[in-house]
Amino acid sequence: MGFYDLSKEERQKIVKETENNILTAINDSAEKLDKKLVPDVILDYASDGDTYIRKNAYMAISRIYLGHNDLREKILQILDNMLENPEERVRQTSVYSMGEIGKKDTNCVMKKFERAIKDKHPSVRNAVIGALKQMGQKNPEPTFNFARKHLHDEDPEIRRVVIHGIELRGRTHPGEVLTLLKELQDEEVKSVRNMIVHVIGQISYKEECLEKVVNSLKNWHNKELVCDAAKEILLVHIRYKFAVRSPEYAEEYIKKHLT
């Protein structure tokens, strides 16, 4: 039976038990000298097949970190060790924990993301994307500094990850994202180029965003990419019934300013 097959009361009980069990395990491990230790309790939660059990674990770890100053160093050590675990779910849980911590205390986790972003497993890389999205929205400056550092990485997968990772901030501050994307307008790798187009579409549909995105694209020299981005913007406005501007308005605005 999955987490959301349980009643609300049972779910609340599990959330509380999870946090208590993890706190106890961290307290116990803090007294031990083995720096490579990851408590078995945390490993069990972090490798669980139920996504929501793992989510309870990484949320609990972040709450404990933010609420117990005396345990922060140990928690960061545990998260470091989890990144070395052969089980990808454990590494993924570590990344999501760091993302939650990073919304408040970004600097302490950025070096760990240097390792996580190079992970070969897609679920771990997807966790990096999700974590960067959350941190970028709440704590943009260090997150965007990280993205900028890897924007021209020789590995196209890393470029794709950081582009996707800055998307959420762009929905409210499109100019910050467009400044970085403009540097990659001549990207030749299809997966990265497609992500650039995708992100442009995703940052175009909220209040005042369509106009800001289109007016920025006017100054890009890669007209083929601009054309593809314009098509994506229009598709987003057609698909998203909650878009601020109507498809008709978006189409007319694009025609007026980009053709």
Side-chain angles (χ1 to χ4, degrees):
M1 180 177 290
F3 182 71
Y4 275 96
D5 294 320
L6 303 173
S7 68
K8 181 179 179 181
E9 292 74 20
E10 289 173 317
R11 295 198 303 270
Q12 290 173 337
K13 182 180 179 182
I14 287 177
V15 169
K16 187 63 176 176
E17 285 179 352
T18 299
E19 185 163 344
N20 287 340
N21 290 341
I22 290 177
L23 177 58
T24 299
I26 293 171
N27 272 318
D28 289 346
S29 69
E31 299 174 2
K32 299 179 180 179
L33 297 177
D34 186 357
K35 293 193 178 213
K36 293 296 182 183
L37 179 70
V38 177
D40 289 340
V41 168
I42 294 179
L43 287 177
D44 287 343
Y45 283 126
S47 59
D48 196 280
D50 190 323
T51 301
Y52 296 103
I53 296 298
R54 300 199 302 277
K55 181 176 180 179
N56 286 335
Y58 72 69
M59 295 298 293
I61 291 170
S62 66
R63 286 194 298 268
I64 293 167
Y65 176 91
L66 295 170
H68 296 76
N69 290 347
D70 58 318
L71 295 177
R72 290 185 173 184
E73 184 176 349
K74 185 60 185 178
I75 290 170
L76 292 175
Q77 181 63 59
I78 289 171
L79 295 177
D80 254 348
N81 297 340
M82 289 170 69
L83 285 177
E84 301 297 327
N85 193 280
E87 168 58 59
E88 65 270 10
R89 288 173 179 165
V90 174
R91 303 197 304 277
Q92 180 195 61
T93 302
S94 174
V95 172
Y96 279 130
S97 299
M98 294 187 297
E100 290 298 317
I101 291 170
K103 289 194 288 188
K104 295 284 185 68
D105 190 3
T106 308
N107 291 330
C108 73
V109 297
M110 293 317 286
K111 286 186 178 180
K112 303 180 193 310
F113 277 99
E114 296 285 350
R115 291 160 57 200
I117 200 171
K118 297 175 183 177
D119 198 285
K120 298 303 181 184
H121 199 280
S123 69
V124 181
R125 295 196 300 273
N126 286 338
V128 173
I129 292 169
L132 290 176
K133 283 184 177 183
Q134 295 301 315
M135 291 191 301
Q137 189 178 35
K138 300 290 186 180
N139 215 340
E141 184 175 353
T143 307
F144 272 62
N145 286 340
F146 176 86
R148 189 174 290 106
K149 177 180 178 181
H150 294 283
L151 197 64
H152 300 283
D153 195 281
E154 62 181 16
D155 184 345
E157 180 62 15
I158 289 179
R159 299 199 299 275
R160 188 191 69 84
V161 167
V162 296
I163 290 166
H164 203 178
I166 60 177
E167 174 193 311
L168 199 58
R169 174 72 174 176
R171 295 185 188 180
T172 52
H173 297 77
E176 296 178 15
V177 170
L178 289 163
T179 297
L180 297 187
L181 296 186
K182 188 177 182 180
E183 294 183 29
L184 293 176
Q185 62 182 299
D186 292 319
E187 175 66 55
E188 295 181 353
V189 177
K190 185 176 181 180
S191 62
V192 184
R193 188 183 187 280
N194 288 346
M195 184 56 67
I196 294 170
V197 171
H198 168 79
V199 170
I200 290 172
Q202 290 300 305
I203 66 176
S204 70
Y205 68 87
K206 290 200 170 185
E207 188 71 39
E208 298 182 357
C209 287
L210 172 67
E211 293 80 4
K212 291 178 180 178
V213 170
V214 169
N215 287 329
S216 173
L217 292 176
K218 285 194 301 186
N219 300 314
W220 291 27
H221 65 257
N222 190 332
K223 300 309 178 185
E224 182 179 353
L225 179 64
V226 169
C227 181
D228 289 343
K231 292 176 184 177
E232 180 66 16
I233 291 169
L234 184 56
L235 285 174
V236 164
H237 281 77
I238 293 171
R239 291 196 305 263
Y240 292 3
K241 304 305 180 186
F242 44 81
V244 171
R245 298 299 192 184
S246 69
E248 293 76 18
Y249 178 93
E251 183 175 20
E252 185 62 30
Y253 195 88
I254 289 169
K255 284 182 178 178
K256 181 177 180 180
H257 295 278
L258 288 181
T259 58

